[in-house]
Amino acid sequence: MTGCISLTMLAGCASTAPKMSSAPTASVTARGETVAVGTANADAADDPAIWRNPANPAASLIVGTDKKAGLHVYDMQGADRSFLDAGAVNNVDLRDMGEKGIVVAVSDRNDLLASKLAMFTLDPTTATLKPMGKIASGAGEAYGVCLYRAPAALYAFMVLKDGTINQIELDLSGASHTGRIVRTMKLATQSEGCAVDERTGRLYVAEEDVGLWRFDAAPDGPVAPVRIAAADGHQIVADAEGVAVVPEGDRGGYVVVSSQGDNAYALYRLDDESYVGRFRIAAGTIGAVEETDGIDIVAGDFGPGYPAGLMVAQDGINPPRAQNFKLVSWADVKQALGLQ
């Protein structure tokens, strides 16, 4: 995320009125929100990751980054259940690996010249994170991260700020997590958000000023990207930021990307990558969402307020408090866009 944050945070900054897309844009409202992150008057909250509790969906958890300070764990009511001082961290993703625990991977940017993948396990009973070590993930500044659970291994994709994407094979067998880089891909300019469709082995990455790309996620697959959508000021208004994949059935569902430049989100079908539509999170009982960096969306039952799925979006402007994360019903999004 670049540019001004708010008038109160950066007095004297030039106007940051968004460049509005001319494409039709639906509206939904948030049903919940988290407590604000601890870092005030700064671009601090960045990226969320959702863990769905299959036994008690209303007891699900959200891990959110304060990129100036560390990691928060929130419950479904938005309460801050715990905070871990991890320093400068940016993006986060997680996978429930059964007996090996809920694995949480974070892009660690405490050293801007040598990226690290910071690993944790999430304890769902105490809503706390346990550090599981750091893994070298390539020269450069750590930025985006996403996990890929393949049939035979768990991988992390570290997206460096310059557009380099390193694929890391993870080893969860020891007292701390380890890993090794098995493949490198490249986009030309600054990139961040990413997500994987694990059914098809497709990796989606947002290049901020260019658009949304697809890669083969297999460690021995081709490294050339395929562009899905351009940040052309119509479907996506730069920056293209957070990316989330919402599978449905064998091949259906959606990839969603944050159109940060006009406070919106664009949807594309996973089966044929066709454009579906756009929506915004407007003001209602809870405030509107602007300048979103990271997003996560998980389908399924999350309790009475979110019976068909949960979307969590970083909110870049949340006066009078610091930035936070807003909770949206995925069913509301589908209804607003006329999706079955």
Side-chain angles (χ1 to χ4, degrees):
M1 177 177 173
T2 58
C4 301
I5 307 306
S6 72
L7 294 178
T8 58
M9 291 163 61
L10 293 176
C13 196
S15 171
T16 58
K19 298 177 180 179
M20 304 303 287
S21 168
S22 60
T25 306
S27 290
V28 299
T29 56
R31 295 193 180 192
E33 64 179 331
T34 68
V35 173
V37 297
T39 304
N41 300 319
D43 176 24
D46 195 87
D47 191 44
I50 300 166
W51 173 71
R52 180 179 175 272
N53 186 332
N56 182 8
S60 299
L61 297 170
I62 301 159
V63 180
T65 61
D66 178 337
K67 61 188 177 186
K68 309 292 185 181
L71 298 161
H72 293 269
V73 180
Y74 304 101
D75 62 24
M76 290 294 294
Q77 290 70 49
D80 194 349
R81 295 285 303 278
S82 69
F83 173 75
L84 181 67
D85 181 355
V89 295
N90 205 54
N91 279 196
V92 58
D93 200 8
L94 60 81
R95 289 292 185 278
D96 191 334
M97 299 299 293
E99 293 182 356
K100 294 181 180 179
I102 303 166
V103 175
V104 179
V106 179
S107 52
D108 183 308
R109 61 198 297 197
N110 286 290
D111 183 344
L112 299 182
L113 300 179
S115 74
K116 299 288 192 303
L117 185 67
M119 302 298 297
F120 306 85
T121 55
L122 172 64
D123 184 332
T125 302
T126 62
T128 57
L129 292 162
K130 176 184 177 182
M132 295 298 291
K134 295 184 180 183
I135 301 168
S137 53
E141 183 177 349
Y143 222 46
V145 70
C146 53
L147 292 173
Y148 169 38
R149 180 170 45 196
L154 179 65
Y155 299 94
F157 291 97
M158 174 63 75
V159 182
L160 303 180
K161 194 171 185 178
D162 70 354
T164 300
I165 305 162
N166 290 324
Q167 184 170 1
I168 302 160
E169 183 176 357
L170 299 174
D171 183 349
L172 311 179
S173 62
S176 62
H177 297 159
T178 60
R180 63 187 183 94
I181 297 173
V182 296
R183 188 172 64 139
T184 296
M185 296 163 283
K186 187 73 172 72
L187 292 172
T189 63
Q190 184 167 311
S191 306
E192 184 175 3
C194 67
V196 179
D197 183 349
E198 295 180 338
R199 304 164 306 169
T200 59
R202 290 179 168 182
L203 165 69
Y204 297 89
V205 184
E207 186 177 4
E208 294 188 0
D209 290 335
V210 178
L212 181 66
W213 297 88
R214 167 173 54 82
F215 290 88
D216 189 326
D220 57 353
V223 298
V226 175
R227 191 161 74 175
I228 305 304
D232 59 1
H234 185 63
Q235 296 174 9
I236 300 172
V237 179
D239 292 346
E241 286 281 347
V243 179
V245 165
V246 195
E248 291 183 353
D250 292 336
R251 293 186 64 88
Y254 309 93
V255 55
V256 184
V257 58
S258 168
S259 172
Q260 190 186 75
D262 73 333
N263 307 326
Y265 312 88
L267 277 76
Y268 301 86
R269 297 188 190 279
L270 289 168
D271 54 3
D272 62 4
E273 296 169 345
S274 61
Y275 173 65
V276 175
R278 317 171 78 249
F279 69 97
R280 292 190 178 93
I281 305 171
T285 304
I286 295 169
V289 178
E290 296 99 0
E291 297 186 1
T292 294
D293 280 331
I295 59 174
D296 196 15
I297 305 169
V298 176
D301 178 18
F302 280 85
Y306 312 91
L310 172 67
M311 174 180 181
V312 179
Q314 182 261 5
D315 188 1
I317 302 176
N318 187 45
R321 298 175 297 278
Q323 296 177 344
N324 73 345
F325 301 91
K326 299 297 196 288
L327 280 62
V328 175
S329 166
W330 181 238
D332 290 349
V333 173
K334 295 184 72 175
Q335 181 178 15
L337 292 169
L339 303 175
Q340 297 298 320

